[in-house]
Amino acid sequence: MNWLKYLVGLAALAIAGCAAYFSVTGLGVLFSGASIAVMVMASVLEFAKLVAATYLKQKWNEIKGFNKVYLTLAVGALMLITSAGIFGYLSNAFQQQNIRLDQVQREISVWSNKIQQDTAQIAQLTGQINQLNSNQGKIIGDGNVNNRILKSVDGRDKQIAKLQDKIGALQDSSVRYNEKINEIKNNNIDLEKEVGGFRFVAEAFGLELNTVVKFFIFLIVIVFDPLAIALIIAFNGLISKNKIVDVQLDKQSSGDSEKNYEIYGDMVENTIKPEEIPVIVENIVSEAPEVEFIPNIDELNQSQATNPKDITYNPNTGGYS
């Protein structure tokens, strides 16, 4: 399972490195008045955070009292600072796009307002034409037609023609304005591609574009740095577990060697040295119990004339007399 340990360690370092980069850059943007100093400070704090998390994991049972509480709170606070830096970095990246979007929207809104004004004028002129036509119909319908009425009708026809010309000019203006809007969109089509996904989600859920972007940024911030710290702790846990297994194997191997050494020592201690043999024999002879001697029958036969009561054992010769 060594590959798992290395894989977890690589993922932890990669995510922690990316989080540190985003956080340091984001904090530099938030504190643009002293960006370099803030970025140096944030870099040192990021490194200290990883070291503190590793130390807490490996020495948790040995750390006591205030030091344990303070280091735990410090790691949590640094995680919040890192998350704030990441939020600042991502927000700044979107704001740069949002500024361009606002600029494009303002340009489009200028032409759109003109189109709306022309549309309103067209509607007004159309209403006047309808009113003139209705009045002319009433005059002709009465049947009392004279020169004055005919002149009035001719004047109204000319007035209606002028209104129609104005309507035509306004419609031509609206067409040109729409062309301007299409030109602006075509010139900023790359920007539309960049925010097209967010725009689609916003339109699908009926939300504003800024609201959708903030939601996604919060999701990234919640997952980013806490995942890095969790993987750092998991990596240290795998290292500690492997160390425990190695120590147990070393103890087992050393215990086997001690057993063999004891067996070998017992064999050496129980071995009788040559210089100890005479001492052992002497002790055995000196401590041997006295045994009553049984006479030899042949020797008794040779001394038949001798009285059995007179037979004695001679220890020097080992015989009887």
Side-chain angles (χ1 to χ4, degrees):
M1 299 294 289
N2 288 331
W3 62 270
L4 179 60
K5 177 179 68 176
Y6 296 133
L7 188 62
V8 171
L10 180 62
L13 292 177
I15 296 177
C18 292
Y21 173 77
F22 291 155
S23 176
V24 169
T25 307
L27 291 175
V29 172
L30 292 176
F31 300 95
S32 58
S35 60
I36 296 177
V38 171
M39 291 172 70
V40 172
M41 179 191 67
S43 300
V44 175
L45 290 176
E46 285 294 327
F47 178 74
K49 180 187 66 177
L50 299 179
V51 174
T54 302
Y55 178 71
L56 286 173
K57 174 59 181 177
Q58 294 188 359
K59 304 294 183 180
W60 180 260
N61 295 327
E62 300 177 10
I63 307 173
K64 304 297 181 182
F66 173 77
N67 198 21
K68 177 185 289 187
V69 176
Y70 174 75
L71 287 176
T72 304
L73 294 177
V75 171
L78 289 174
M79 288 175 60
L80 293 177
I81 294 173
T82 302
S83 299
I86 295 172
F87 182 83
Y89 179 87
L90 296 177
S91 299
N92 181 65
F94 174 71
Q95 285 300 322
Q96 293 179 358
Q97 292 180 337
N98 198 27
I99 291 173
R100 295 170 58 191
L101 282 174
D102 291 340
Q103 182 180 358
V104 172
Q105 291 296 329
R106 285 194 299 268
E107 293 177 358
I108 293 175
S109 64
V110 170
W111 303 109
S112 297
N113 291 332
K114 289 183 177 182
I115 292 173
Q116 291 177 358
Q117 292 175 359
D118 290 346
T119 303
Q121 290 180 4
I122 290 172
Q124 184 178 2
L125 294 174
T126 303
Q128 292 177 3
I129 291 173
N130 293 331
Q131 185 177 2
L132 291 173
N133 289 329
S134 63
N135 291 334
Q136 182 178 354
K138 289 181 180 179
I139 294 173
I140 297 174
D142 292 338
N144 298 323
V145 180
N146 52 32
N147 293 329
R148 185 177 61 84
I149 294 174
L150 292 175
K151 289 180 180 178
S152 177
V153 172
D154 292 337
R156 288 179 182 179
D157 291 338
K158 292 178 181 179
Q159 189 176 1
I160 291 173
K162 289 179 180 179
L163 293 175
Q164 290 177 345
D165 292 337
K166 289 182 179 180
I167 291 173
L170 292 173
Q171 290 176 344
D172 293 336
S173 298
S174 298
V175 171
R176 289 194 301 271
Y177 297 156
N178 284 320
E179 291 177 353
K180 290 289 185 180
I181 292 174
N182 291 329
E183 183 180 356
I184 294 172
K185 290 182 178 180
N186 291 331
N187 293 332
N188 296 276
I189 192 170
D190 293 334
L191 181 61
E192 290 292 332
K193 290 180 180 179
E194 292 176 359
V195 298
F198 289 121
R199 190 184 297 278
F200 174 78
V201 175
E203 292 176 355
F205 291 95
L207 300 173
E208 294 183 357
L209 180 62
N210 291 337
T211 303
V212 174
V213 173
K214 289 178 183 178
F215 176 74
F216 276 97
I217 290 176
F218 275 119
L219 287 180
I220 294 173
V221 168
I222 291 172
V223 173
F224 212 146
D225 194 59
L227 179 60
I229 297 300
L231 289 176
I232 288 292
I233 294 174
F235 177 67
N236 284 277
L238 291 175
I239 292 177
S240 301
K241 184 177 180 181
N242 291 336
K243 286 183 178 179
I244 293 173
V245 173
D246 294 338
V247 169
Q248 291 177 350
L249 293 176
D250 292 339
K251 288 183 179 180
Q252 184 177 0
S253 61
S254 61
D256 294 339
S257 62
E258 289 177 358
K259 289 180 181 180
N260 294 333
Y261 177 76
E262 291 175 357
I263 295 172
Y264 180 75
D266 293 340
M267 293 175 63
V268 173
E269 290 177 358
N270 294 331
T271 304
I272 300 175
K273 298 179 180 180
E275 57 269 16
E276 294 179 353
I277 294 176
V279 178
I280 295 174
V281 174
E282 182 179 358
N283 292 334
I284 293 175
V285 174
S286 62
E287 295 177 359
E290 294 182 357
V291 181
E292 184 180 358
F293 179 77
I294 299 175
N296 192 346
I297 297 176
D298 294 335
E299 292 180 355
L300 291 175
N301 291 332
Q302 291 179 1
S303 58
Q304 293 178 356
T306 308
N307 189 358
K309 294 180 179 180
D310 297 331
I311 298 174
T312 59
Y313 175 73
N314 188 358
N316 295 325
T317 60
Y320 292 86
S321 58

